[in-house]
Amino acid sequence: MNRGMRIGTGFDFHPFQEGRNLVLGGVGIPHPRGLKGHSDADALSHAVADALLGAAALKDIGSYFPDTDPRYRAMSSLLILEKVYRLIRGKGFAIVNIDATVIAEEPPIAPHVEAIKVNLARTLHLRPDEIGIKATTMEGCGPVGRREGLAVQAVVLLIKEE
Ligand code: MG
């Protein structure tokens, strides 16, 4: 057993809102609606950030980047990921891999997966093949199924460096 291995999970949901850009993993995705939120509402980056923080036994994303703080208004969530990366490096952790699932009825995510991997890899000092990005739908059920919003689930593995 490798006692230096640490797993973390993250989850985020944002409702769709007219007149906003849809951003996932720092990639602008053409769509009639974006996500409602304080920053750029990049639910994928938020879920990955929370998974990284959780694996390092740090606090949740809202503790470090409160949505009451005007500094984070409309900010790129890749900057949040950069700061989270520095936090976990400061605790002596390196990222082994990341896996995330976008849960949405719309839009199709597959055409944007490679661009998302490249963005996240650059931000988190990984290779694109160390990042999994998948998509699924809720088959018409629940708030995601009714196209009210989009959810993302993420899992990360960290390793403690000596
Ligand atoms: Mg969020």
Side-chain angles (χ1 to χ4, degrees):
M1 187 177 73
N2 189 332
R3 297 184 64 86
M5 295 287 203
R6 305 276 296 237
I7 197 164
T9 75
F11 179 84
D12 198 21
F13 173 90
H14 283 258
F16 283 122
Q17 186 177 41
E18 305 281 345
R20 284 189 48 105
N21 296 324
L22 178 59
V23 179
L24 291 174
V27 174
I29 295 176
H31 193 58
R33 296 185 295 169
L35 296 174
K36 183 179 180 181
H38 184 65
S39 62
D40 60 358
D42 182 343
L44 176 52
S45 293
H46 295 177
V48 169
D50 241 359
L52 291 165
L53 291 168
L58 293 166
K59 292 181 276 188
D60 62 43
I61 185 173
S63 304
Y64 297 99
F65 309 99
D67 61 11
T68 50
D69 190 329
R71 282 182 300 164
Y72 305 125
R73 213 171 82 80
M75 182 181 85
S76 168
S77 294
L78 292 183
L79 295 175
I80 290 177
L81 274 182
E82 273 177 22
K83 291 188 180 190
V84 166
Y85 178 79
R86 286 202 291 274
L87 284 172
I88 63 161
R89 291 297 291 164
K91 295 265 285 183
F93 291 108
I95 304 168
V96 177
N97 75 304
I98 293 171
D99 183 27
T101 304
V102 179
I103 307 161
E105 304 294 311
E106 61 182 49
I109 303 301
H112 309 287
V113 162
E114 287 311 312
I116 291 170
K117 286 185 183 185
V118 166
N119 259 359
L120 295 182
R122 192 189 305 124
T123 306
L124 295 169
H125 306 264
L126 293 168
R127 298 194 314 261
D129 68 359
E130 292 165 328
I131 300 171
I133 303 291
K134 309 159 335 276
T136 190
T137 74
M138 286 294 288
E139 303 286 348
C141 296
V144 168
R146 291 190 296 270
R147 300 167 190 264
E148 293 168 11
L150 174 154
V152 182
Q153 187 176 331
V155 178
V156 309
L157 187 67
L158 301 184
I159 188 163
K160 188 93 175 187
E161 295 196 320
E162 298 309 319

